[in-house]
Amino acid sequence: MRRLNRKKTLNLMKELDAFPKVPESYVETSASGGTVSLIAFTTMAFLTIMEFMVYRDTWMKYEYEVDKDFTSKLRINIDITVAMKCQYVGADVLDLAETMVASADGLAYEPVIFELSPQQREWQRMLQLIQSRLQEEHSLQDVIFKSAFRSASTALPPREDNSLQPPDACRIHGHLYVNKVAGNFHITVGKAIPHPRGHAHLAALVSHEAYNFSHRIDHLSFGELIPGIINPLDGTEKIASDHNQMFQYFITVVPTKLHTYEISAETHQFSVTERERVINHAAGSHGVSGIFMKYDISSLMVTVTEEHMPFWQFLVRLCGIIGGIFSTTGILHGIGRFIVEIICCRFRLGSYKSVSVPLPDGHLNNHLPLTTDNERTQV
């Protein structure tokens, strides 16, 4: 009884087989089919390898929302070298919301040599090359995001030569915290002096001939300091052509939350527009000589998340590739054989010619003979 039930179950399973097996005696192989199969298997292997590489890779997903954080402070990271002595220049931030000078106690003034050493100059050229490629290929920014904390530091390397040249420049570096509103960070002649109606700089004791606002921006960023991230102004160098020259940078800061498999941080991206002009009151070009960075905070916040292809999606895509190529090559091979058979059959029919054969009753037989011309001649 058990054997009977088992046999019925086995027969039922055979009837449900959606992949019937064809006996080998009914299978016909050909050279063209083998060639197509070899091409199909090679294509499958190549696309499978490419798909696996896509599966291993990750991409950055960008999401946008309104920034509702208005109470926190904005951190500004600064590393700028000005071609003037430290006692001649002063740096501060003017908060446009409170119309007062924000504290710049977090900045340090270090006397240095403005001319870079060969190693430092090579570092700057490499950084400028990366900046030019980033402007042309915006997708490279995703590579920088994914390699954050893993790549080498983007800071200017220390000077390797022991130069006896006296310092002729001032390196202003450090960080400071300001409100998340538009502001103006500037470096100009003289130290900043608090004033009830704004602020002022003590520039009367500095000779006009000492004005030289040639500068190099080794680093400028907003928010949390993340090693490996290259900002738009990193490596910028400007040489002043006149003593009374103003350099302006108009910056739009975008709050950014970065979530990768390596880090999770809150930072800020920014875009910048540059302008420079010579101050000449007689020609109508008014202003103050110096370096001015006017920044504004965007109301949108960007969330950048590193994503990876799920394994189930990889399997679905892989099955689609293998099944699609197998079916497509089979269809193309069938169509090709059909066309070849039609062409060969037409040529074969063209080799038979209609011949009139006299019959005993005097009529003509116009049917095609069953023998060829050679055989008919021999008869």
Side-chain angles (χ1 to χ4, degrees), residues 10-196:
L10 184 60
N11 292 333
L12 180 62
M13 296 299 295
K14 288 182 179 180
E15 292 178 359
L16 295 176
D17 188 5
F19 308 97
K21 309 300 183 295
V22 181
E24 294 184 359
S25 58
Y26 294 101
V27 177
E28 181 182 359
T29 59
S30 62
S32 61
T35 303
V36 173
S37 300
L38 184 61
I39 296 175
F41 292 146
T42 304
T43 307
M44 288 180 193
F46 176 74
L47 292 181
T48 300
I49 295 174
M50 297 298 295
E51 189 66 24
F52 181 72
M53 295 177 62
V54 172
Y55 169 72
R56 291 186 57 189
D57 195 13
T58 59
W59 62 87
M60 308 305 292
K61 179 182 178 182
Y62 293 82
E63 298 177 335
Y64 304 89
E65 59 181 318
V66 177
D67 186 15
K68 302 178 181 178
D69 184 11
F70 304 106
T71 58
S72 63
K73 296 290 185 178
L74 175 64
R75 171 170 169 158
I76 305 178
N77 307 294
I78 301 166
D79 191 351
I80 302 176
T81 302
V82 186
M84 292 179 64
K85 294 185 177 180
C86 292
Q87 61 266 27
Y88 295 158
V89 295
D92 60 330
V93 178
L94 179 62
D95 192 336
L96 298 184
E98 300 180 359
T99 63
M100 63 178 293
V101 179
S103 175
D105 297 336
L107 298 179
Y109 295 79
E110 179 184 350
V112 294
I113 301 174
F114 186 77
E115 184 65 27
L116 295 176
S117 65
Q119 180 183 358
Q120 292 175 328
R121 183 62 66 181
E122 182 65 25
W123 170 89
Q124 187 188 37
R125 281 196 295 264
M126 182 61 66
L127 194 57
Q128 290 175 349
L129 177 61
I130 295 175
Q131 292 285 18
S132 62
R133 293 299 302 272
L134 283 173
Q135 294 177 3
E136 298 174 359
E137 303 289 341
H138 299 286
S139 59
L140 292 178
Q141 186 64 44
D142 294 348
V143 180
I144 294 178
F145 280 150
K146 290 189 288 187
S147 62
F149 276 162
R150 290 183 301 177
S151 58
S153 175
T154 57
L156 180 69
R159 201 174 190 90
E160 77 281 0
D161 58 343
N162 298 323
S163 177
L164 301 178
Q165 179 182 352
D168 58 351
C170 183
R171 179 190 175 200
I172 304 174
H173 61 97
H175 64 272
L176 47 89
Y177 292 90
V178 297
N179 296 322
K180 291 185 66 174
V181 293
N184 182 4
F185 170 76
H186 51 272
I187 302 173
T188 187
V189 178
K191 302 300 180 181
I193 302 175
H195 194 273

Side-chain angles (χ1 to χ4, degrees), residues 212-228:
N212 185 5
F213 285 101
S214 300
H215 61 281
R216 183 178 61 253
I217 304 176
D218 296 326
H219 180 79
L220 179 69
S221 64
F222 297 83
E224 184 178 348
L225 187 60
I226 303 177

Side-chain angles (χ1 to χ4, degrees), residues 244 277-289:
N244 287 339
R277 59 189 175 92
V278 177
I279 302 301
N280 189 347
H281 299 286
S285 178
H286 304 291
V288 179
S289 303

Side-chain angles (χ1 to χ4, degrees), residues 191-321:
K191 302 300 180 181
I193 302 175
H195 194 273
R197 296 184 180 180
H199 79 294
H201 287 262
L202 188 60
L205 301 179
V206 181
S207 173
H208 183 268
E209 299 298 327
Y211 287 16
N212 185 5
F213 285 101
S214 300
H215 61 281
R216 183 178 61 253
I217 304 176
D218 296 326
H219 180 79
L220 179 69
S221 64
F222 297 83
E224 184 178 348
L225 187 60
I226 303 177
I229 297 296
I230 299 177
N231 298 277
L233 286 176
D234 293 354
T236 301
E237 185 177 61
K238 299 290 184 180
I239 304 299
S241 59
D242 192 272
H243 294 290
N244 287 339
Q245 192 154 350
M246 173 190 287
F247 296 92
Q248 293 176 306
Y249 299 92
F250 300 93
I251 300 173
T252 302
V253 183
V254 181
T256 304
K257 290 183 179 180
L258 182 61
H259 302 287
T260 68
Y261 291 105
E262 297 290 335
I263 63 171
S264 180
E266 293 187 5
T267 181
H268 292 72
Q269 303 180 82
F270 66 90
S271 61
V272 59
T273 302
E274 305 176 13
R275 183 188 178 191
E276 58 181 83
R277 59 189 175 92
V278 177
I279 302 301
N280 189 347
H281 299 286
S285 178
H286 304 291
V288 179
S289 303
I291 305 167
F292 296 86
M293 297 182 178
K294 299 181 180 181
Y295 60 89
D296 193 7
I297 312 298
S298 175
S299 59
L300 291 179
M301 180 175 63
V302 182
T303 302
V304 185
T305 308
E306 184 178 8
E307 293 191 345
H308 188 275
M309 180 187 297
F311 183 70
W312 65 267
Q313 187 175 354
F314 167 71
L315 291 180
V316 171
R317 291 166 62 99
L318 191 61
C319 292
I321 289 175

